[in-house]
Amino acid sequence: MGKDDIYVALLGLGTVGMGVYKVMKTQESQMQQKLNSVLHIKKILVRDAKKHAGDVDDPSMLTESYKEIIEDPEIRIVIEVIGGMEPAYTYIRDAICAGKSVVTANKDLIAERGGELMALAEEHHVDLRFEASVAGGIPIISPLKNSLAANEISQVMGIVNGTTNYILTKMTEEGMDYEEALQEATALGYAEADPTADVEGYDAGRKIAIMATIAFHSRVTFQDVYTEGITKITAKDIEYAKTLGWVIKLIALARNTDTGIEVRVHPMLIPADHPLATVGGSYNAVYVHGDAVEDVMFYGRGAGEMPTASAVMGDVFSVARHTAYDSQGSTRDNVYRNIPVKSIENTKSSYFLRMEVEDKPGVLASIASIFGNNSVSIKQVIQRDKIENNAELVIITSEVKERHIRDALLVLHSSSVVKGVSSVIRVY
Ligand code: NAP
Ligand code: HSE
């Protein structure tokens, strides 16, 4: 081993793992100039070495034993791209305790146990970095921690899931069926191993929890995030949205308000001329509002092999610089506040409601009184289509408390004139 050589281990050789392997090779010739050292992958942990033998130039790098990695003192950096809670948690914890720095793309783990792992990394004087865990190739963790550190950040809002953004874009622009769009997103390597995490909003929920913790200096975990996915969005909703000059996006939102932190993920109708409305396909974007900087937006590929590998390798390069100068261990999440997280019932929004009602005189008045009795003010009513003998009604409300809309919905569901409420979507 030369004094400028730094050995790393890669855990997992799936979509992101392969990307990391490729970037490592293409960057090899410039590492000395960029890092004052040269990175070498010494071991790659896989479950089945035979299955992956054709994926790498030298199959002897492949191992099925984590022990070989953890007990190898030459390996200074461990890159975890397996995903999920276990065995990833145990592997990362053991690597840190063995004095190795860790780079991970694992939002599940960071959103739930990031605080504990960062404290452990500090204690063991090693780095723990996770830029790729949020919004794929977009640099957002480092800007929140460093470039925007002198701001009081009041809001982080964005499209942070590539799979769902790809699905909604295909449904909106090409009229593609939901299932077909999901299959395409999976084939392109955007979806999680279990795409339920994408389509139900859990993946975006984990990412907004990570960003909110850093932005507001107060611990926000995935359990604090209200999540609603895109599985109930229909072609009809998309069509209404278009007619009204809106698009439907899965939005992740975190606000630090006087009454606590609001943190949620749900579909939202946003004006077609809003910058987030034009973020299509697997692209993501994150809007941050800080008191000094005002608004900044980060935009780029939110998922996929090479964009995600770009973020992972950016972290690996930073750690390599620290390793070369023996300056690891400065990773902290700077959580020094304890701000309560508001329940979704106490947040406010405007709503789009699509319902089927009896088509006879007095129905509109009866529905209006249900809203009125529950402190929900109506902004717009659209009656356009008929479904058999019933009328389809779309109601847009003014900004109201979530608990008021929930109360109104309970009464609407039991009303004899309402045949069904098909959609309830928040409006920007
Ligand atoms: P993936 O394609 O499913 O790859 C995961 C790999 O880990 C698979 O090759 C799997 O092996 C391997 N693996 C599973 N359990 C293992 C174990 N016990 N020991 C060794 N290897 C094991 O997933 P991915 O898309 O690359 O995602 C990896 C991580 O990056 C996840 O945390 C994900 O959330 C995150 N991420 C992904 C993207 C993206 O666009 N894909 C973007 C940002 C972040 P087998 O081949 O044997 O199944
Ligand atoms: N499944 C995730 C997505 C990968 O679709 O955004 C990137 O984190």
Side-chain angles (χ1 to χ4, degrees), residues 11-17 45-48 51-52 80-84 87 91 105-108 132-133 136 189-193 203 302-305 308:
L11 315 184
L13 196 56
T15 304
V16 182
L45 182 73
V46 291
R47 280 192 291 207
D48 179 351
K51 176 181 144 188
H52 290 285
E80 185 276 312
V81 282
I82 292 174
Y91 288 170
N106 192 328
K107 64 236 72 166
D108 305 43
S133 67
Y190 304 151
E192 295 301 299
D203 176 80
E305 182 190 40
T308 310

Side-chain angles (χ1 to χ4, degrees), residues 61-306:
M61 288 175 153
L62 300 171
T63 176
E64 294 172 8
S65 158
Y66 187 56
K67 209 162 169 262
E68 257 185 51
I69 292 170
I70 205 78
E71 289 179 356
D72 185 335
E74 260 187 5
I75 293 173
R76 304 282 305 273
I77 305 171
V78 169
I79 306 169
E80 185 276 312
V81 282
I82 292 174
M85 295 301 287
E86 281 296 349
Y89 170 78
T90 306
Y91 288 170
I92 291 180
R93 185 202 58 200
D94 291 356
I96 292 171
C97 291
K100 302 177 195 305
S101 286
V102 174
V103 173
T104 178
N106 192 328
K107 64 236 72 166
D108 305 43
L109 198 51
I110 297 298
E112 297 218 8
R113 306 191 74 169
E116 171 196 335
L117 288 171
M118 271 174 258
L120 195 67
E122 203 173 347
E123 187 188 325
H124 288 270
H125 196 62
V126 296
D127 285 340
L128 170 63
R129 292 197 164 232
F130 48 89
E131 184 60 71
S133 67
V134 178
I138 305 176
I140 182 67
I141 300 299
S142 178
L144 283 174
K145 279 190 171 182
N146 302 308
S147 329
L148 299 173
N151 280 262
E152 190 61 50
I153 295 173
S154 53
Q155 180 167 299
V156 179
M157 172 181 173
I159 294 170
V160 292
N161 182 268
T163 304
T164 46
N165 203 42
Y166 184 86
I167 296 171
L168 290 174
T169 306
K170 288 285 175 183
M171 287 172 76
T172 306
E173 291 177 4
E174 298 171 26
M176 192 183 272
D177 167 53
Y178 169 88
E179 285 299 339
E180 192 186 345
L182 172 57
Q183 270 175 26
E184 279 195 11
T186 306
L188 288 163
Y190 304 151
E192 295 301 299
D194 175 2
T196 313
D198 296 293
V199 298
E200 294 296 354
Y202 310 149
D203 176 80
R206 292 176 175 119
K207 291 166 177 169
I208 196 72
I210 294 171
M211 289 191 286
T213 299
I214 299 168
F216 307 146
H217 304 284
S218 185
R219 180 79 53 215
V220 177
T221 67
F222 174 55
Q223 281 73 23
D224 295 319
V225 185
Y226 172 80
T227 52
E228 241 178 65
I230 63 159
T231 51
K232 293 190 189 122
I233 301 295
T234 64
K236 196 77 180 267
D237 297 322
I238 290 173
E239 190 194 316
Y240 268 109
K242 261 189 200 164
T243 318
L244 292 162
W246 290 325
V247 288
I248 302 179
K249 293 286 184 190
L250 185 72
I251 297 293
L253 179 64
R255 281 191 186 127
N256 189 7
T257 74
D258 292 342
T259 50
I261 291 174
E262 277 181 28
V263 60
R264 47 198 165 105
V265 171
H266 49 65
M268 201 181 233
L269 289 149
I270 58 174
D273 60 359
H274 188 283
L276 287 180
T278 58
V279 176
S282 72
Y283 280 90
N284 282 189
V286 183
Y287 244 90
V288 180
H289 186 86
D291 60 347
V293 73
E294 298 183 6
D295 288 319
V296 266
M297 180 165 156
F298 300 84
Y299 171 81
R301 288 267 184 217
E305 182 190 40
M306 299 310 280

Side-chain angles (χ1 to χ4, degrees), residues 337-407:
R337 291 174 175 154
N338 190 10
I339 309 170
V341 176
K342 280 164 79 168
S343 124
I344 186 71
E345 302 229 317
N346 293 323
T347 62
K348 279 183 166 182
S349 202
S350 294
Y351 293 82
F352 163 104
L353 298 109
R354 187 164 63 82
M355 61 188 85
E356 209 179 305
V357 299
E358 276 188 10
D359 194 10
K360 66 178 191 192
V363 167
L364 207 53
S366 126
I367 289 170
S369 77
I370 294 175
F371 280 110
N373 292 340
N374 287 285
S375 313
V376 176
S377 153
I378 294 174
K379 198 153 79 180
Q380 197 179 352
V381 178
I382 301 146
Q383 185 178 343
R384 203 186 63 181
D385 296 346
K386 276 197 90 161
I387 303 165
E388 294 170 357
N389 289 327
N390 295 322
E392 187 171 62
L393 213 59
V394 165
I395 291 179
I396 317 292
T397 74
S398 299
E399 195 178 62
V400 293
K401 266 202 171 158
E402 172 94 14
R403 89 179 124 85
H404 292 147
I405 206 83
R406 288 189 184 190
D407 291 344

